PDB file of all heavy atoms in Angstrom:
ATOM      1  N   PHE A 166     -19.050  15.334  12.713  1.00  0.00           N
ATOM      2  CA  PHE A 166     -18.934  14.486  13.964  1.00  0.00           C
ATOM      3  C   PHE A 166     -20.300  13.799  14.236  1.00  0.00           C
ATOM      4  O   PHE A 166     -20.274  12.737  14.612  1.00  0.00           O
ATOM      5  CB  PHE A 166     -18.560  15.477  15.131  1.00  0.00           C
ATOM      6  CG  PHE A 166     -17.252  16.094  14.990  1.00  0.00           C
ATOM      7  CD1 PHE A 166     -17.159  17.498  14.756  1.00  0.00           C
ATOM      8  CD2 PHE A 166     -16.070  15.372  15.006  1.00  0.00           C
ATOM      9  CE1 PHE A 166     -15.821  18.012  14.596  1.00  0.00           C
ATOM     10  CE2 PHE A 166     -14.841  15.798  14.876  1.00  0.00           C
ATOM     11  CZ  PHE A 166     -14.761  17.372  14.735  1.00  0.00           C
ATOM     12  N   THR A 167     -21.420  14.590  14.091  1.00  0.00           N
ATOM     13  CA  THR A 167     -22.726  14.003  14.483  1.00  0.00           C
ATOM     14  C   THR A 167     -23.114  12.756  13.736  1.00  0.00           C
ATOM     15  O   THR A 167     -23.360  11.718  14.360  1.00  0.00           O
ATOM     16  CB  THR A 167     -23.727  15.069  14.207  1.00  0.00           C
ATOM     17  OG1 THR A 167     -23.412  16.341  14.866  1.00  0.00           O
ATOM     18  CG2 THR A 167     -25.133  14.525  14.843  1.00  0.00           C
ATOM     19  N   SER A 168     -22.868  12.641  12.317  1.00  0.00           N
ATOM     20  CA  SER A 168     -23.178  11.534  11.650  1.00  0.00           C
ATOM     21  C   SER A 168     -22.330  10.314  11.903  1.00  0.00           C
ATOM     22  O   SER A 168     -22.699   9.157  12.122  1.00  0.00           O
ATOM     23  CB  SER A 168     -23.059  11.889  10.177  1.00  0.00           C
ATOM     24  OG  SER A 168     -21.858  12.231   9.793  1.00  0.00           O
ATOM     25  N   ILE A 169     -21.010  10.571  12.105  1.00  0.00           N
ATOM     26  CA  ILE A 169     -20.065   9.568  12.424  1.00  0.00           C
ATOM     27  C   ILE A 169     -20.325   8.985  13.880  1.00  0.00           C
ATOM     28  O   ILE A 169     -20.223   7.752  14.096  1.00  0.00           O
ATOM     29  CB  ILE A 169     -18.651  10.000  12.295  1.00  0.00           C
ATOM     30  CG1 ILE A 169     -18.394  10.422  10.896  1.00  0.00           C
ATOM     31  CG2 ILE A 169     -17.672   8.805  12.592  1.00  0.00           C
ATOM     32  CD1 ILE A 169     -16.920  11.081  10.599  1.00  0.00           C
ATOM     33  N   PHE A 170     -20.535   9.951  14.805  1.00  0.00           N
ATOM     34  CA  PHE A 170     -20.986   9.406  16.143  1.00  0.00           C
ATOM     35  C   PHE A 170     -22.158   8.576  16.165  1.00  0.00           C
ATOM     36  O   PHE A 170     -22.228   7.548  16.875  1.00  0.00           O
ATOM     37  CB  PHE A 170     -21.141  10.670  17.015  1.00  0.00           C
ATOM     38  CG  PHE A 170     -19.967  11.111  17.958  1.00  0.00           C
ATOM     39  CD1 PHE A 170     -19.394  12.399  17.717  1.00  0.00           C
ATOM     40  CD2 PHE A 170     -19.452  10.266  18.759  1.00  0.00           C
ATOM     41  CE1 PHE A 170     -18.221  12.676  18.489  1.00  0.00           C
ATOM     42  CE2 PHE A 170     -18.289  10.541  19.559  1.00  0.00           C
ATOM     43  CZ  PHE A 170     -17.747  11.838  19.457  1.00  0.00           C
ATOM     44  N   SER A 171     -23.166   9.106  15.522  1.00  0.00           N
ATOM     45  CA  SER A 171     -24.430   8.243  15.530  1.00  0.00           C
ATOM     46  C   SER A 171     -24.222   6.915  14.836  1.00  0.00           C
ATOM     47  O   SER A 171     -24.832   5.905  15.308  1.00  0.00           O
ATOM     48  CB  SER A 171     -25.516   9.036  14.786  1.00  0.00           C
ATOM     49  OG  SER A 171     -25.226   9.268  13.439  1.00  0.00           O
ATOM     50  N   GLN A 172     -23.427   6.930  13.806  1.00  0.00           N
ATOM     51  CA  GLN A 172     -23.133   5.527  13.002  1.00  0.00           C
ATOM     52  C   GLN A 172     -22.456   4.563  14.100  1.00  0.00           C
ATOM     53  O   GLN A 172     -22.856   3.351  14.203  1.00  0.00           O
ATOM     54  CB  GLN A 172     -22.328   5.749  11.909  1.00  0.00           C
ATOM     55  CG  GLN A 172     -21.975   4.503  11.149  1.00  0.00           C
ATOM     56  CD  GLN A 172     -21.092   4.584   9.995  1.00  0.00           C
ATOM     57  OE1 GLN A 172     -21.094   5.656   9.248  1.00  0.00           O
ATOM     58  NE2 GLN A 172     -20.356   3.610   9.618  1.00  0.00           N
ATOM     59  N   LEU A 173     -21.357   5.138  14.682  1.00  0.00           N
ATOM     60  CA  LEU A 173     -20.700   4.346  15.723  1.00  0.00           C
ATOM     61  C   LEU A 173     -21.623   3.871  16.873  1.00  0.00           C
ATOM     62  O   LEU A 173     -21.571   2.665  17.338  1.00  0.00           O
ATOM     63  CB  LEU A 173     -19.527   5.048  16.343  1.00  0.00           C
ATOM     64  CG  LEU A 173     -18.234   5.134  15.543  1.00  0.00           C
ATOM     65  CD1 LEU A 173     -17.270   6.194  16.122  1.00  0.00           C
ATOM     66  CD2 LEU A 173     -17.586   3.679  15.359  1.00  0.00           C
ATOM     67  N   PHE A 174     -22.451   4.779  17.384  1.00  0.00           N
ATOM     68  CA  PHE A 174     -23.327   4.374  18.442  1.00  0.00           C
ATOM     69  C   PHE A 174     -24.241   3.298  18.007  1.00  0.00           C
ATOM     70  O   PHE A 174     -24.477   2.280  18.752  1.00  0.00           O
ATOM     71  CB  PHE A 174     -24.181   5.569  18.818  1.00  0.00           C
ATOM     72  CG  PHE A 174     -25.048   5.410  20.033  1.00  0.00           C
ATOM     73  CD1 PHE A 174     -24.458   5.349  21.310  1.00  0.00           C
ATOM     74  CD2 PHE A 174     -26.340   5.186  19.966  1.00  0.00           C
ATOM     75  CE1 PHE A 174     -25.262   5.223  22.453  1.00  0.00           C
ATOM     76  CE2 PHE A 174     -27.157   4.921  21.073  1.00  0.00           C
ATOM     77  CZ  PHE A 174     -26.653   4.963  22.259  1.00  0.00           C
ATOM     78  N   MET A 175     -24.877   3.384  16.791  1.00  0.00           N
ATOM     79  CA  MET A 175     -25.791   2.411  16.392  1.00  0.00           C
ATOM     80  C   MET A 175     -25.210   1.072  15.927  1.00  0.00           C
ATOM     81  O   MET A 175     -25.837   0.010  16.090  1.00  0.00           O
ATOM     82  CB  MET A 175     -26.510   2.902  15.158  1.00  0.00           C
ATOM     83  CG  MET A 175     -27.491   4.076  15.401  1.00  0.00           C
ATOM     84  SD  MET A 175     -28.626   3.794  16.708  1.00  0.00           S
ATOM     85  CE  MET A 175     -29.670   2.483  16.013  1.00  0.00           C
ATOM     86  N   THR A 176     -23.936   1.053  15.527  1.00  0.00           N
ATOM     87  CA  THR A 176     -23.340  -0.240  15.078  1.00  0.00           C
ATOM     88  C   THR A 176     -22.478  -0.842  16.092  1.00  0.00           C
ATOM     89  O   THR A 176     -22.098  -2.071  15.995  1.00  0.00           O
ATOM     90  CB  THR A 176     -22.476  -0.041  13.812  1.00  0.00           C
ATOM     91  OG1 THR A 176     -21.540   0.895  14.163  1.00  0.00           O
ATOM     92  CG2 THR A 176     -23.310   0.459  12.659  1.00  0.00           C
ATOM     93  N   VAL A 177     -22.006  -0.116  17.112  1.00  0.00           N
ATOM     94  CA  VAL A 177     -21.262  -0.689  18.310  1.00  0.00           C
ATOM     95  C   VAL A 177     -21.952  -0.842  19.550  1.00  0.00           C
ATOM     96  O   VAL A 177     -22.074  -1.852  20.162  1.00  0.00           O
ATOM     97  CB  VAL A 177     -19.901   0.132  18.358  1.00  0.00           C
ATOM     98  CG1 VAL A 177     -19.082  -0.349  19.538  1.00  0.00           C
ATOM     99  CG2 VAL A 177     -19.107   0.189  17.085  1.00  0.00           C
ATOM    100  N   VAL A 178     -22.324   0.393  20.132  1.00  0.00           N
ATOM    101  CA  VAL A 178     -22.871   0.477  21.466  1.00  0.00           C
ATOM    102  C   VAL A 178     -24.292  -0.258  21.483  1.00  0.00           C
ATOM    103  O   VAL A 178     -24.571  -1.053  22.377  1.00  0.00           O
ATOM    104  CB  VAL A 178     -23.095   1.957  21.963  1.00  0.00           C
ATOM    105  CG1 VAL A 178     -23.683   1.991  23.340  1.00  0.00           C
ATOM    106  CG2 VAL A 178     -21.672   2.563  21.913  1.00  0.00           C
ATOM    107  N   VAL A 179     -25.217   0.038  20.685  1.00  0.00           N
ATOM    108  CA  VAL A 179     -26.537  -0.450  20.668  1.00  0.00           C
ATOM    109  C   VAL A 179     -26.593  -2.037  20.598  1.00  0.00           C
ATOM    110  O   VAL A 179     -27.200  -2.770  21.375  1.00  0.00           O
ATOM    111  CB  VAL A 179     -27.438   0.203  19.648  1.00  0.00           C
ATOM    112  CG1 VAL A 179     -28.866  -0.610  19.498  1.00  0.00           C
ATOM    113  CG2 VAL A 179     -27.703   1.592  20.007  1.00  0.00           C
ATOM    114  N   PRO A 180     -25.837  -2.599  19.544  1.00  0.00           N
ATOM    115  CA  PRO A 180     -25.850  -4.118  19.426  1.00  0.00           C
ATOM    116  C   PRO A 180     -25.233  -4.816  20.730  1.00  0.00           C
ATOM    117  O   PRO A 180     -25.626  -5.789  21.134  1.00  0.00           O
ATOM    118  CB  PRO A 180     -24.967  -4.340  18.179  1.00  0.00           C
ATOM    119  CG  PRO A 180     -25.056  -3.140  17.424  1.00  0.00           C
ATOM    120  CD  PRO A 180     -25.122  -1.951  18.331  1.00  0.00           C
ATOM    121  N   LEU A 181     -24.166  -4.158  21.214  1.00  0.00           N
ATOM    122  CA  LEU A 181     -23.520  -4.655  22.441  1.00  0.00           C
ATOM    123  C   LEU A 181     -24.463  -4.707  23.552  1.00  0.00           C
ATOM    124  O   LEU A 181     -24.582  -5.742  24.278  1.00  0.00           O
ATOM    125  CB  LEU A 181     -22.272  -3.734  22.758  1.00  0.00           C
ATOM    126  CG  LEU A 181     -21.320  -4.426  23.889  1.00  0.00           C
ATOM    127  CD1 LEU A 181     -20.732  -5.566  23.366  1.00  0.00           C
ATOM    128  CD2 LEU A 181     -20.423  -3.298  24.228  1.00  0.00           C
ATOM    129  N   ILE A 182     -25.256  -3.636  23.785  1.00  0.00           N
ATOM    130  CA  ILE A 182     -26.192  -3.601  24.882  1.00  0.00           C
ATOM    131  C   ILE A 182     -27.410  -4.487  24.636  1.00  0.00           C
ATOM    132  O   ILE A 182     -27.682  -5.363  25.529  1.00  0.00           O
ATOM    133  CB  ILE A 182     -26.845  -2.152  24.964  1.00  0.00           C
ATOM    134  CG1 ILE A 182     -25.648  -1.124  25.530  1.00  0.00           C
ATOM    135  CG2 ILE A 182     -28.074  -2.139  26.078  1.00  0.00           C
ATOM    136  CD1 ILE A 182     -26.083   0.248  25.457  1.00  0.00           C
ATOM    137  N   ILE A 183     -27.886  -4.707  23.399  1.00  0.00           N
ATOM    138  CA  ILE A 183     -28.961  -5.607  23.098  1.00  0.00           C
ATOM    139  C   ILE A 183     -28.424  -7.062  23.337  1.00  0.00           C
ATOM    140  O   ILE A 183     -29.171  -7.854  23.944  1.00  0.00           O
ATOM    141  CB  ILE A 183     -29.318  -5.342  21.590  1.00  0.00           C
ATOM    142  CG1 ILE A 183     -30.091  -4.171  21.406  1.00  0.00           C
ATOM    143  CG2 ILE A 183     -30.296  -6.639  21.178  1.00  0.00           C
ATOM    144  CD1 ILE A 183     -30.376  -3.844  19.933  1.00  0.00           C
ATOM    145  N   GLY A 184     -27.123  -7.323  22.884  1.00  0.00           N
ATOM    146  CA  GLY A 184     -26.590  -8.642  23.265  1.00  0.00           C
ATOM    147  C   GLY A 184     -26.474  -9.074  24.706  1.00  0.00           C
ATOM    148  O   GLY A 184     -26.831 -10.149  25.120  1.00  0.00           O
ATOM    149  N   GLN A 185     -26.103  -8.014  25.472  1.00  0.00           N
ATOM    150  CA  GLN A 185     -26.100  -8.169  26.948  1.00  0.00           C
ATOM    151  C   GLN A 185     -27.535  -8.417  27.600  1.00  0.00           C
ATOM    152  O   GLN A 185     -27.642  -9.286  28.333  1.00  0.00           O
ATOM    153  CB  GLN A 185     -25.456  -6.937  27.614  1.00  0.00           C
ATOM    154  CG  GLN A 185     -23.921  -6.958  27.515  1.00  0.00           C
ATOM    155  CD  GLN A 185     -23.183  -7.787  28.413  1.00  0.00           C
ATOM    156  OE1 GLN A 185     -23.091  -7.528  29.653  1.00  0.00           O
ATOM    157  NE2 GLN A 185     -22.668  -8.778  27.956  1.00  0.00           N
ATOM    158  N   ILE A 186     -28.537  -7.631  27.034  1.00  0.00           N
ATOM    159  CA  ILE A 186     -29.864  -7.877  27.542  1.00  0.00           C
ATOM    160  C   ILE A 186     -30.475  -9.314  27.125  1.00  0.00           C
ATOM    161  O   ILE A 186     -30.975  -9.934  28.056  1.00  0.00           O
ATOM    162  CB  ILE A 186     -30.877  -6.870  27.008  1.00  0.00           C
ATOM    163  CG1 ILE A 186     -30.444  -5.471  27.457  1.00  0.00           C
ATOM    164  CG2 ILE A 186     -32.229  -7.096  27.201  1.00  0.00           C
ATOM    165  CD1 ILE A 186     -31.093  -4.197  26.763  1.00  0.00           C
ATOM    166  N   VAL A 187     -30.187  -9.666  25.835  1.00  0.00           N
ATOM    167  CA  VAL A 187     -30.648 -10.988  25.407  1.00  0.00           C
ATOM    168  C   VAL A 187     -29.952 -12.058  26.218  1.00  0.00           C
ATOM    169  O   VAL A 187     -30.572 -13.137  26.607  1.00  0.00           O
ATOM    170  CB  VAL A 187     -30.407 -11.229  24.023  1.00  0.00           C
ATOM    171  CG1 VAL A 187     -30.724 -12.511  23.486  1.00  0.00           C
ATOM    172  CG2 VAL A 187     -31.135 -10.143  23.085  1.00  0.00           C
ATOM    173  N   ARG A 188     -28.633 -11.843  26.565  1.00  0.00           N
ATOM    174  CA  ARG A 188     -27.982 -12.787  27.408  1.00  0.00           C
ATOM    175  C   ARG A 188     -28.531 -13.068  28.709  1.00  0.00           C
ATOM    176  O   ARG A 188     -28.585 -14.256  29.180  1.00  0.00           O
ATOM    177  CB  ARG A 188     -26.376 -12.365  27.515  1.00  0.00           C
ATOM    178  CG  ARG A 188     -25.547 -13.310  28.451  1.00  0.00           C
ATOM    179  CD  ARG A 188     -24.216 -12.917  28.554  1.00  0.00           C
ATOM    180  NE  ARG A 188     -23.571 -13.789  29.580  1.00  0.00           N
ATOM    181  CZ  ARG A 188     -22.994 -14.871  29.237  1.00  0.00           C
ATOM    182  NH1 ARG A 188     -23.003 -15.351  27.985  1.00  0.00           N
ATOM    183  NH2 ARG A 188     -22.479 -15.611  30.285  1.00  0.00           N
ATOM    184  N   ARG A 189     -29.137 -12.062  29.356  1.00  0.00           N
ATOM    185  CA  ARG A 189     -29.698 -12.262  30.644  1.00  0.00           C
ATOM    186  C   ARG A 189     -30.835 -13.135  30.670  1.00  0.00           C
ATOM    187  O   ARG A 189     -31.113 -13.918  31.600  1.00  0.00           O
ATOM    188  CB  ARG A 189     -30.257 -10.881  31.184  1.00  0.00           C
ATOM    189  CG  ARG A 189     -29.129  -9.891  31.496  1.00  0.00           C
ATOM    190  CD  ARG A 189     -29.695  -8.632  32.077  1.00  0.00           C
ATOM    191  NE  ARG A 189     -30.233  -8.841  33.456  1.00  0.00           N
ATOM    192  CZ  ARG A 189     -30.844  -7.989  34.126  1.00  0.00           C
ATOM    193  NH1 ARG A 189     -30.858  -6.690  33.794  1.00  0.00           N
ATOM    194  NH2 ARG A 189     -31.386  -8.173  35.287  1.00  0.00           N
ATOM    195  N   TYR A 190     -31.538 -13.226  29.490  1.00  0.00           N
ATOM    196  CA  TYR A 190     -32.848 -14.082  29.438  1.00  0.00           C
ATOM    197  C   TYR A 190     -32.460 -15.555  28.952  1.00  0.00           C
ATOM    198  O   TYR A 190     -33.284 -16.541  29.250  1.00  0.00           O
ATOM    199  CB  TYR A 190     -33.814 -13.437  28.522  1.00  0.00           C
ATOM    200  CG  TYR A 190     -34.371 -12.290  28.974  1.00  0.00           C
ATOM    201  CD1 TYR A 190     -34.056 -11.042  28.552  1.00  0.00           C
ATOM    202  CD2 TYR A 190     -35.534 -12.281  29.988  1.00  0.00           C
ATOM    203  CE1 TYR A 190     -34.541  -9.825  29.164  1.00  0.00           C
ATOM    204  CE2 TYR A 190     -36.045 -11.085  30.454  1.00  0.00           C
ATOM    205  CZ  TYR A 190     -35.605  -9.823  30.113  1.00  0.00           C
ATOM    206  OH  TYR A 190     -36.048  -8.698  30.622  1.00  0.00           O
ATOM    207  N   ILE A 191     -31.383 -15.738  28.197  1.00  0.00           N
ATOM    208  CA  ILE A 191     -31.016 -16.984  27.748  1.00  0.00           C
ATOM    209  C   ILE A 191     -29.555 -17.535  28.292  1.00  0.00           C
ATOM    210  O   ILE A 191     -28.940 -18.400  27.607  1.00  0.00           O
ATOM    211  CB  ILE A 191     -31.013 -17.073  26.193  1.00  0.00           C
ATOM    212  CG1 ILE A 191     -30.013 -16.203  25.599  1.00  0.00           C
ATOM    213  CG2 ILE A 191     -32.388 -16.812  25.606  1.00  0.00           C
ATOM    214  CD1 ILE A 191     -29.762 -16.229  24.156  1.00  0.00           C
ATOM    215  N   LYS A 192     -29.234 -16.932  29.305  1.00  0.00           N
ATOM    216  CA  LYS A 192     -27.981 -17.344  29.999  1.00  0.00           C
ATOM    217  C   LYS A 192     -27.687 -18.751  30.250  1.00  0.00           C
ATOM    218  O   LYS A 192     -26.743 -19.288  29.862  1.00  0.00           O
ATOM    219  CB  LYS A 192     -27.788 -16.497  31.295  1.00  0.00           C
ATOM    220  CG  LYS A 192     -26.375 -16.651  31.902  1.00  0.00           C
ATOM    221  CD  LYS A 192     -26.349 -15.803  33.261  1.00  0.00           C
ATOM    222  CE  LYS A 192     -24.902 -16.053  33.833  1.00  0.00           C
ATOM    223  NZ  LYS A 192     -24.841 -15.292  35.226  1.00  0.00           N
ATOM    224  N   ASP A 193     -28.800 -19.336  30.786  1.00  0.00           N
ATOM    225  CA  ASP A 193     -28.665 -20.938  31.092  1.00  0.00           C
ATOM    226  C   ASP A 193     -28.545 -21.682  29.841  1.00  0.00           C
ATOM    227  O   ASP A 193     -27.778 -22.613  29.671  1.00  0.00           O
ATOM    228  CB  ASP A 193     -29.894 -21.419  31.899  1.00  0.00           C
ATOM    229  CG  ASP A 193     -29.819 -20.764  33.156  1.00  0.00           C
ATOM    230  OD1 ASP A 193     -28.810 -20.442  33.722  1.00  0.00           O
ATOM    231  OD2 ASP A 193     -31.044 -20.720  33.866  1.00  0.00           O
ATOM    232  N   TRP A 194     -29.264 -21.392  28.660  1.00  0.00           N
ATOM    233  CA  TRP A 194     -29.239 -21.975  27.553  1.00  0.00           C
ATOM    234  C   TRP A 194     -27.861 -21.805  26.831  1.00  0.00           C
ATOM    235  O   TRP A 194     -27.205 -22.835  26.275  1.00  0.00           O
ATOM    236  CB  TRP A 194     -30.204 -21.490  26.530  1.00  0.00           C
ATOM    237  CG  TRP A 194     -30.325 -22.090  25.179  1.00  0.00           C
ATOM    238  CD1 TRP A 194     -31.004 -23.290  24.886  1.00  0.00           C
ATOM    239  CD2 TRP A 194     -29.687 -21.740  24.068  1.00  0.00           C
ATOM    240  NE1 TRP A 194     -30.653 -23.580  23.608  1.00  0.00           N
ATOM    241  CE2 TRP A 194     -29.895 -22.588  23.057  1.00  0.00           C
ATOM    242  CE3 TRP A 194     -28.800 -20.550  23.678  1.00  0.00           C
ATOM    243  CZ2 TRP A 194     -29.438 -22.481  21.706  1.00  0.00           C
ATOM    244  CZ3 TRP A 194     -28.371 -20.491  22.507  1.00  0.00           C
ATOM    245  CH2 TRP A 194     -28.659 -21.493  21.468  1.00  0.00           C
ATOM    246  N   LEU A 195     -27.239 -20.696  26.968  1.00  0.00           N
ATOM    247  CA  LEU A 195     -25.920 -20.386  26.340  1.00  0.00           C
ATOM    248  C   LEU A 195     -24.922 -21.138  27.044  1.00  0.00           C
ATOM    249  O   LEU A 195     -23.917 -21.666  26.440  1.00  0.00           O
ATOM    250  CB  LEU A 195     -25.658 -18.815  26.435  1.00  0.00           C
ATOM    251  CG  LEU A 195     -26.406 -17.793  25.635  1.00  0.00           C
ATOM    252  CD1 LEU A 195     -25.992 -16.470  26.000  1.00  0.00           C
ATOM    253  CD2 LEU A 195     -26.055 -18.038  24.198  1.00  0.00           C
ATOM    254  N   GLU A 196     -24.806 -21.290  28.344  1.00  0.00           N
ATOM    255  CA  GLU A 196     -23.863 -21.997  29.193  1.00  0.00           C
ATOM    256  C   GLU A 196     -23.907 -23.467  28.826  1.00  0.00           C
ATOM    257  O   GLU A 196     -23.031 -24.228  28.954  1.00  0.00           O
ATOM    258  CB  GLU A 196     -24.053 -21.676  30.600  1.00  0.00           C
ATOM    259  CG  GLU A 196     -23.446 -20.325  30.954  1.00  0.00           C
ATOM    260  CD  GLU A 196     -23.658 -19.857  32.360  1.00  0.00           C
ATOM    261  OE1 GLU A 196     -24.082 -20.738  33.132  1.00  0.00           O
ATOM    262  OE2 GLU A 196     -23.177 -18.706  32.728  1.00  0.00           O
ATOM    263  N   ARG A 197     -25.272 -23.936  28.603  1.00  0.00           N
ATOM    264  CA  ARG A 197     -25.434 -25.362  28.439  1.00  0.00           C
ATOM    265  C   ARG A 197     -25.107 -25.726  26.914  1.00  0.00           C
ATOM    266  O   ARG A 197     -24.455 -26.787  26.649  1.00  0.00           O
ATOM    267  CB  ARG A 197     -26.925 -25.676  28.534  1.00  0.00           C
ATOM    268  CG  ARG A 197     -27.338 -27.225  28.667  1.00  0.00           C
ATOM    269  CD  ARG A 197     -28.764 -27.453  29.194  1.00  0.00           C
ATOM    270  NE  ARG A 197     -29.753 -26.849  28.354  1.00  0.00           N
ATOM    271  CZ  ARG A 197     -30.521 -25.838  28.536  1.00  0.00           C
ATOM    272  NH1 ARG A 197     -30.319 -25.181  29.720  1.00  0.00           N
ATOM    273  NH2 ARG A 197     -31.387 -25.448  27.707  1.00  0.00           N
ATOM    274  N   LYS A 198     -25.570 -24.978  25.949  1.00  0.00           N
ATOM    275  CA  LYS A 198     -25.263 -25.289  24.544  1.00  0.00           C
ATOM    276  C   LYS A 198     -23.830 -24.938  24.027  1.00  0.00           C
ATOM    277  O   LYS A 198     -23.304 -25.326  23.101  1.00  0.00           O
ATOM    278  CB  LYS A 198     -26.373 -24.661  23.659  1.00  0.00           C
ATOM    279  CG  LYS A 198     -27.840 -25.272  23.864  1.00  0.00           C
ATOM    280  CD  LYS A 198     -27.838 -26.644  23.286  1.00  0.00           C
ATOM    281  CE  LYS A 198     -29.263 -27.150  23.484  1.00  0.00           C
ATOM    282  NZ  LYS A 198     -29.319 -28.577  22.952  1.00  0.00           N
ATOM    283  N   LYS A 199     -23.290 -23.842  24.576  1.00  0.00           N
ATOM    284  CA  LYS A 199     -22.026 -23.103  24.237  1.00  0.00           C
ATOM    285  C   LYS A 199     -22.029 -22.963  22.692  1.00  0.00           C
ATOM    286  O   LYS A 199     -21.197 -23.634  21.982  1.00  0.00           O
ATOM    287  CB  LYS A 199     -20.903 -24.074  24.751  1.00  0.00           C
ATOM    288  CG  LYS A 199     -20.831 -24.234  26.222  1.00  0.00           C
ATOM    289  CD  LYS A 199     -19.568 -24.824  26.691  1.00  0.00           C
ATOM    290  CE  LYS A 199     -19.534 -25.140  28.093  1.00  0.00           C
ATOM    291  NZ  LYS A 199     -19.796 -23.964  28.886  1.00  0.00           N
ATOM    292  N   PRO A 200     -22.754 -21.977  22.192  1.00  0.00           N
ATOM    293  CA  PRO A 200     -22.675 -21.644  20.711  1.00  0.00           C
ATOM    294  C   PRO A 200     -21.345 -21.285  20.240  1.00  0.00           C
ATOM    295  O   PRO A 200     -20.520 -20.858  21.123  1.00  0.00           O
ATOM    296  CB  PRO A 200     -23.657 -20.495  20.609  1.00  0.00           C
ATOM    297  CG  PRO A 200     -24.500 -20.543  21.708  1.00  0.00           C
ATOM    298  CD  PRO A 200     -23.701 -21.198  22.756  1.00  0.00           C
ATOM    299  N   PRO A 201     -20.915 -21.638  18.924  1.00  0.00           N
ATOM    300  CA  PRO A 201     -19.602 -21.312  18.529  1.00  0.00           C
ATOM    301  C   PRO A 201     -19.370 -19.738  18.217  1.00  0.00           C
ATOM    302  O   PRO A 201     -19.266 -19.302  17.079  1.00  0.00           O
ATOM    303  CB  PRO A 201     -19.463 -22.194  17.224  1.00  0.00           C
ATOM    304  CG  PRO A 201     -20.775 -22.266  16.745  1.00  0.00           C
ATOM    305  CD  PRO A 201     -21.655 -22.409  17.932  1.00  0.00           C
ATOM    306  N   PHE A 202     -19.285 -19.088  19.200  1.00  0.00           N
ATOM    307  CA  PHE A 202     -19.291 -17.489  18.954  1.00  0.00           C
ATOM    308  C   PHE A 202     -18.044 -17.096  18.256  1.00  0.00           C
ATOM    309  O   PHE A 202     -17.977 -16.295  17.358  1.00  0.00           O
ATOM    310  CB  PHE A 202     -19.249 -16.792  20.348  1.00  0.00           C
ATOM    311  CG  PHE A 202     -20.543 -16.846  21.060  1.00  0.00           C
ATOM    312  CD1 PHE A 202     -20.654 -17.493  22.218  1.00  0.00           C
ATOM    313  CD2 PHE A 202     -21.602 -16.261  20.652  1.00  0.00           C
ATOM    314  CE1 PHE A 202     -21.884 -17.571  22.950  1.00  0.00           C
ATOM    315  CE2 PHE A 202     -22.892 -16.243  21.205  1.00  0.00           C
ATOM    316  CZ  PHE A 202     -22.916 -16.905  22.376  1.00  0.00           C
ATOM    317  N   GLY A 203     -16.863 -17.894  18.454  1.00  0.00           N
ATOM    318  CA  GLY A 203     -15.527 -17.517  17.792  1.00  0.00           C
ATOM    319  C   GLY A 203     -15.676 -17.789  16.344  1.00  0.00           C
ATOM    320  O   GLY A 203     -15.170 -17.025  15.597  1.00  0.00           O
ATOM    321  N   ALA A 204     -16.331 -18.963  15.964  1.00  0.00           N
ATOM    322  CA  ALA A 204     -16.360 -19.322  14.589  1.00  0.00           C
ATOM    323  C   ALA A 204     -17.366 -18.344  13.866  1.00  0.00           C
ATOM    324  O   ALA A 204     -17.089 -18.046  12.606  1.00  0.00           O
ATOM    325  CB  ALA A 204     -16.937 -20.803  14.462  1.00  0.00           C
ATOM    326  N   ILE A 205     -18.375 -17.983  14.417  1.00  0.00           N
ATOM    327  CA  ILE A 205     -19.351 -16.875  13.868  1.00  0.00           C
ATOM    328  C   ILE A 205     -18.567 -15.674  13.610  1.00  0.00           C
ATOM    329  O   ILE A 205     -18.660 -15.090  12.459  1.00  0.00           O
ATOM    330  CB  ILE A 205     -20.445 -16.611  14.793  1.00  0.00           C
ATOM    331  CG1 ILE A 205     -21.383 -17.892  14.934  1.00  0.00           C
ATOM    332  CG2 ILE A 205     -21.299 -15.428  14.266  1.00  0.00           C
ATOM    333  CD1 ILE A 205     -22.370 -17.880  16.022  1.00  0.00           C
ATOM    334  N   SER A 206     -17.799 -15.153  14.533  1.00  0.00           N
ATOM    335  CA  SER A 206     -17.053 -13.955  14.422  1.00  0.00           C
ATOM    336  C   SER A 206     -15.935 -14.017  13.263  1.00  0.00           C
ATOM    337  O   SER A 206     -15.746 -13.133  12.435  1.00  0.00           O
ATOM    338  CB  SER A 206     -16.348 -13.481  15.611  1.00  0.00           C
ATOM    339  OG  SER A 206     -17.284 -13.047  16.627  1.00  0.00           O
ATOM    340  N   SER A 207     -15.370 -15.174  13.163  1.00  0.00           N
ATOM    341  CA  SER A 207     -14.354 -15.518  12.202  1.00  0.00           C
ATOM    342  C   SER A 207     -14.991 -15.438  10.809  1.00  0.00           C
ATOM    343  O   SER A 207     -14.312 -14.981   9.855  1.00  0.00           O
ATOM    344  CB  SER A 207     -13.634 -16.817  12.396  1.00  0.00           C
ATOM    345  OG  SER A 207     -12.884 -16.792  13.597  1.00  0.00           O
TER     346      SER A 207
END
Side-chain angles (χ1 to χ4, degrees):
F166 297 113
T167 309
S168 61
I169 300 175
F170 262 116
S171 60
Q172 182 185 325
L173 276 171
F174 185 78
M175 293 306 295
T176 57
V177 176
V178 181
V179 172
L181 190 67
I182 292 171
I183 293 172
Q185 284 282 287
I186 293 169
V187 172
R188 179 182 171 81
R189 291 186 66 180
Y190 291 100
I191 60 170
K192 185 178 178 181
D193 294 336
W194 182 85
L195 289 172
E196 290 178 358
R197 191 170 62 252
K198 294 289 184 181
K199 298 190 185 306
F202 291 115
I205 293 167
S206 292
S207 295

